[in-house]
Amino acid sequence: DAGVIQSPRHEVTEMGQEVTLRCKPISGHDYLFWYRQTMMRGLELLIYFNNNVPIDDSGMPEDRFSAKMPNASFSTLKIQPSEPRDSAVYFCASSLAWLAANTGELFFGEGSRLTVL
Amino acid sequence: RKEVEQDPGPFNVPEGATVAFNCTYSNSASQSFFWYRQDCRKEPKLLMSVYSSGNEDGRFTAQLNRASQYISLLIRDSKLSDSATYLCVVNPEGSTLGRLYFGRGTQLTVWP
C-alpha cells in the first residue's frame, strides 16, 4: 500500500517567492495533519483537517501560510511570500480518527525540506 | 510552558547498555501518551503506546506517572539500530483525536 506521499521532497527558493507543498494522504484516512519541524522548535502542528474540513489552524504562524484540502486525496500548504525563517522540514500525516486516538498512530510522509535563501 | 518537555540529550551509550528517557507534560488532564522514533532525516514513526499500568514491547518498556506528569521509555540491551531520536507524544483529548503534542525529542546514539 502507498503511504502518505509528499512533494516536492526538497525545495530551495529565494525570499519572497511563493512555495506550494503537496500531500496525498493514505486512501480512506479521514484526518490530515501538516507539521513543521526545526531544530529549535521540534515538531509543531500547523493545521489539521477532518473529512477535508479545517478543524484547527491555530498553529499556522501567520497570514503568509495557508492550507487547503479540496478533496479527500489531496492537500496543499502554501507560503506566500516565503521568508528565510520558514526554512524547515514540512511533514504531512494522515490517520483514521479512532486509530490515532487509541493507538496514537499517525502515518507521516517523508517530508518536504524547504530552504528559503 | 511547552506542552511536552524532553531532555534533548544526546545520549551516547555502548551496545548492550540500558538507557532511559523521561518526558514531562503540562496538561494534567491528558489521557493518551505515546513514543515515536525518528531516524536521521526520516519521518517519525510510532514506537509504542504508553499505558497507565506500564507496558513492554520486547526490549522497550514504557511507563506513565500521572501524579508527577511524566512518561518514561526504557531500552534494555541497546542495539546499534536503536540509534535515533525518540519523541514523546501526548494527546490531551484522550478518546477523541485532536491536537497531538510532540516533544522535541531525545537523541540516542548506540556505539559498538
Side-chain angles (χ1 to χ4, degrees), chain A:
Chain A
D1 286 341
V4 175
I5 299 172
Q6 290 187 246
S7 65
R9 292 291 311 280
H10 301 273
E11 172 121 0
V12 180
T13 190
E14 291 187 346
M15 183 173 63
Q17 295 299 306
E18 178 178 294
V19 174
T20 299
L21 308 178
R22 299 173 177 79
C23 175
K24 177 179 169 56
I26 292 173
S27 178
H29 281 190
D30 53 359
Y31 273 81
L32 183 139
F33 303 80
W34 281 102
Y35 284 89
R36 175 173 71 176
Q37 188 173 39
T38 61
M39 289 289 291
M40 290 299 295
R41 301 174 68 87
L43 203 58
E44 303 175 281
L45 178 64
L46 300 177
I47 184 171
Y48 73 92
F49 296 83
N50 177 216
N51 293 320
N52 315 336
V53 176
I55 302 301
D56 183 352
D57 65 355
S58 59
M60 298 284 262
E62 46 197 273
D63 292 346
R64 297 184 298 105
F65 286 69
S66 63
K68 294 182 180 179
M69 191 165 185
N71 58 62
S73 59
F74 184 66
S75 178
T76 59
L77 178 68
K78 188 173 292 187
I79 309 172
Q80 166 64 19
S82 58
E83 297 183 2
R85 60 192 168 123
D86 301 331
S87 298
V89 181
Y90 290 81
F91 286 104
C92 176
S94 72
S95 191
L96 289 165
W98 65 266
L99 177 68
N102 289 282
T103 69
E105 188 157 25
L106 301 186
F107 296 83
F108 284 82
E110 293 183 303
S112 294
R113 185 172 295 272
L114 173 65
T115 302
V116 183
L117 303 174

Side-chain angles (χ1 to χ4, degrees), chain B residues 1 5 15 32 39 48 71 91 93 101 107:
Chain B
R1 182 183 176 187
E5 298 273 11
E15 272 188 294
S32 305
D39 292 316
M48 61 194 299
I71 308 145
N91 177 7
E93 302 190 26
Y101 290 98
Q107 185 179 345

